[in-house]
């Protein structure tokens, strides 16, 4: 019976492979690549940076992709060619995935946010409590003392006179419990998001107040593994200081010309406009003392924005590892590209954020105090040393 089952599996795989080869439409995949190539030139916000600073040879990449499609005799091989094209940019926000929903005809770029929808509950709106708390290594840090009695959305603890606050995500949809406290009949998704953000802000302010009451003089914000989220991050930044903060505003891809020549080494115009007025955040001062931020290679996107706001304005120092380097993502829905023949969806960032030294955030942010460790015990010792160093600098 086992041999018979294995035989059926082999036959099924062989049949699928033969069907793939027999029905493969190379011209369709080449048409999809032409659309992807054009959209990348016009709408990918980091393209000029990757070409000029990472020295990615776009002409060579284009030739290799077209040659791979010419050689392809199945969907699998054609998919690998497009996947290699996207991977060459090494940008976490530039992604390729199986198409979700009916494919538009013809394939097109979908711009702008989707219309606001109404939901009967937080669950139907996609909210879920799927976050993690403090990593196990924290329990090995000297004088570690978790503080209970607060809201579980933002775990807190004390290490001597250092208060530790965990922020797992800047994605409001990952806080279902908070959502359920504010949801009301008839709310659309925008109103639900705003109400949930307001609840989360109150919870965060309460967590900071409990840390102050416990004697915290230094705040350590743990954003390790925090992959980002949305614009709520600006409200969190405001809670961390009473000061008015500024930084370079995000830039949106909006070239004034046809940039097709960039694939032959002729960038006829820039994909991003010149920098305009700086962005500002008025601090609300739920915390008023020194701050350290613990980030790691899983800290990305909006988390890197959070770090940049506080670090560049000399409110906080960064400890841990270099951040992922996702940078800015999708403004007003970003660039969503449907490849109809391939049955694939492309997402590419249509915005870019730059640090004050001119570095694109996709290069990541290196810590002021590095922490490198192979296990929880060595990590805890390194964190002990980093906290001592931070306390000394804050005095």
């Amino acid at each position: 019976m086992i041999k018979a089952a294995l035989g059926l599996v082999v036959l099924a795989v062989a049949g699928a492979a033969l069907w793939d080869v027999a029905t493969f439409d190379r011209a369709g995949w080449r048409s999809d690549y032409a659309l992807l190539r054009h959209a990348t030139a016009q709408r990918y916000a980091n393209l000029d940076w990757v070409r000029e600073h990472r020295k990615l040879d776009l002409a060579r990449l284009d030739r290799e992709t077209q040659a791979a499609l010419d050689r392809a005799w199945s969907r699998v091989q054609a998919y690998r060619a497009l996947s290699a094209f996207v991977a060459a940019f090494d940008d976490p926000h530039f992604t390729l995935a199986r198409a979700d929903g009916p494919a538009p005809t013809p394939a097109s770029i979908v711009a702008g946010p989707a219309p606001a929808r109404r939901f009967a509950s937080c669950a139907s709106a996609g909210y879920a409590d799927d976050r993690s708390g403090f990593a196990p290594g924290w329990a090995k840090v000297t004088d570690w003392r978790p503080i209970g009695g607060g809201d579980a959305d933002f775990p807190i603890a004390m290490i001597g006179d250092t208060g530790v606050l965990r922020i797992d995500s800047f994605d409001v949809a990952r806080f279902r419990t908070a959502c359920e406290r504010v949801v009301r009949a008839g709310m659309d998704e925008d109103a639900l998001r705003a109400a949930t953000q307001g609840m989360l802000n109150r919870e965060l302010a309460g967590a900071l107040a409990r840390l102050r009451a416990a004697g915290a003089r230094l705040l350590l914000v743990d954003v390790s593994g925090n992959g980002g989220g949305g614009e709520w991050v600006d409200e969190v930044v405001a809670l961390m200081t009473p000061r008015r903060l500024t930084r370079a505003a995000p830039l949106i891809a909006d070239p004034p010309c046809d940039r097709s020549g960039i694939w032959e080494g002729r960038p006829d115009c820039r994909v991003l406009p010149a920098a305009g007025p700086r962005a500002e955040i008025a601090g609300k001062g739920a915390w008023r003392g020194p701050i350290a931020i613990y980030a790691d290679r899983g800290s990305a996107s909006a988390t890197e924005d959070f770090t940049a706001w506080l670090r560049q304005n000399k409110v906080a120092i960064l400890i841990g590892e270099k951040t992922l380097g996702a940078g800015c993502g999708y403004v007003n829905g970003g660039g969503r590209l449907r490849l109809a023949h391939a049955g694939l969806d492309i997402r590419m960032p249509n915005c870019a954020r730059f640090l004050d030294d001119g570095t694109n955030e996709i290069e990541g942010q290196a810590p002021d105090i590095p922490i490198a460790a192979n296990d929880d015990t060595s990590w805890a010792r390194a964190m002990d040393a980093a906290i001592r160093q931070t306390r000394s600098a804050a005095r």
Side-chain angles (χ1 to χ4, degrees):
M1 291 180 63
I2 294 176
K3 289 183 178 180
L6 288 174
L8 289 174
V9 171
V10 170
L11 287 173
V13 171
L18 289 172
W19 176 85
D20 185 8
V21 172
T23 60
F24 174 59
D25 178 8
R26 180 181 292 106
W29 282 80
R30 286 188 60 85
S31 175
D32 279 346
Y33 174 61
L35 178 66
L36 171 58
R37 182 178 182 267
H38 176 76
T40 302
Q42 296 297 123
R43 297 297 174 191
Y44 175 40
N46 297 317
L47 184 58
D48 291 335
W49 177 272
V50 170
R51 174 181 177 270
E52 295 165 8
H53 294 269
R54 293 184 177 176
K55 306 302 181 183
L56 179 62
D57 187 335
L58 297 182
R60 178 178 178 181
L61 175 63
D62 180 45
R63 289 195 304 271
E64 290 177 346
T65 304
Q66 297 204 49
L69 289 173
D70 287 341
R71 293 192 303 268
W73 44 265
S74 71
R75 290 177 178 83
V76 171
Q77 291 183 325
Y79 170 81
R80 287 175 179 167
L82 296 191
S83 181
F85 174 87
V86 172
F89 296 96
D90 191 21
D91 185 334
H93 278 131
F94 197 169
T95 63
L96 177 152
R98 185 184 298 275
D100 182 17
T105 304
S108 61
I109 296 176
V110 182
R117 296 168 293 171
R118 298 183 184 276
F119 298 97
S121 66
C122 295
S124 63
Y127 284 68
D129 285 318
D130 60 348
R131 306 176 317 282
S132 61
F134 288 114
W138 284 104
K140 296 181 179 291
V141 176
T142 304
D143 296 329
W144 173 257
R145 178 168 60 89
I147 297 179
D151 191 277
D153 286 335
F154 302 106
I156 54 176
M158 292 293 296
I159 302 173
D161 63 356
T162 298
V164 189
L165 168 72
R166 171 70 177 161
I167 303 179
D168 292 87
S169 177
F170 291 110
D171 181 356
V172 176
R174 295 184 66 183
F175 294 86
R176 179 171 165 179
T177 301
C179 174
E180 290 176 342
R181 293 174 183 171
V182 297
V183 64
R184 299 289 184 273
M187 275 186 168
D188 65 26
E189 59 183 323
D190 294 335
L192 182 59
R193 185 185 307 109
T196 304
Q197 288 178 185
M199 173 57 70
L200 292 173
N201 292 342
R202 292 189 289 276
E203 291 177 2
L204 263 176
L208 293 170
R210 289 194 298 277
L211 288 173
R212 289 197 308 272
R217 296 183 180 181
L218 168 69
L219 176 65
L220 175 53
V221 184
D222 175 11
V223 291
S224 59
N226 183 332
E231 294 179 358
W232 174 51
V233 67
D234 289 353
E235 299 179 29
V236 179
V237 169
L239 292 173
M240 297 291 154
T241 179
R243 293 172 46 193
R244 180 174 293 276
L245 310 180
T246 70
R247 72 160 300 185
L251 300 177
I252 309 301
D254 187 21
C257 74
D258 181 353
R259 284 168 44 89
S260 300
I262 198 168
W263 301 107
E264 288 79 40
R266 304 189 319 274
D268 296 321
C269 62
R270 308 292 296 178
V271 70
L272 296 174
R278 290 175 67 83
E280 293 189 0
I281 290 179
K284 297 182 178 179
W287 178 263
R288 293 176 172 267
I291 299 175
I293 301 171
Y294 170 59
D296 64 5
R297 68 194 68 181
S299 305
S301 193
T303 305
E304 293 170 303
D305 192 24
F306 173 79
T307 299
W309 272 109
L310 296 175
R311 192 183 187 196
Q312 293 191 138
N313 284 276
K314 303 189 184 307
V315 173
I317 66 169
L318 182 62
I319 64 177
E321 300 174 323
K322 187 176 184 179
T323 62
L324 179 64
C328 199
Y330 318 114
V331 172
N332 290 332
R336 301 194 304 277
L337 180 67
R338 173 62 56 86
L339 304 181
H341 292 91
L344 298 170
D345 280 342
I346 302 287
R347 294 295 305 274
M348 62 182 68
N350 65 336
C351 71
R353 286 194 304 261
F354 292 83
L355 302 178
D356 286 346
D357 65 3
T359 303
N360 190 317
E361 275 189 19
I362 64 169
E363 298 303 333
Q365 297 173 51
D368 301 299
I369 303 176
I371 291 180
N374 297 320
D375 54 54
D376 288 348
T377 300
S378 59
W379 180 89
R381 286 197 297 266
M383 180 59 73
D384 278 334
I387 291 173
R388 288 194 299 270
Q389 186 174 343
T390 304
R391 284 171 177 160
S392 298
R395 289 194 181 103

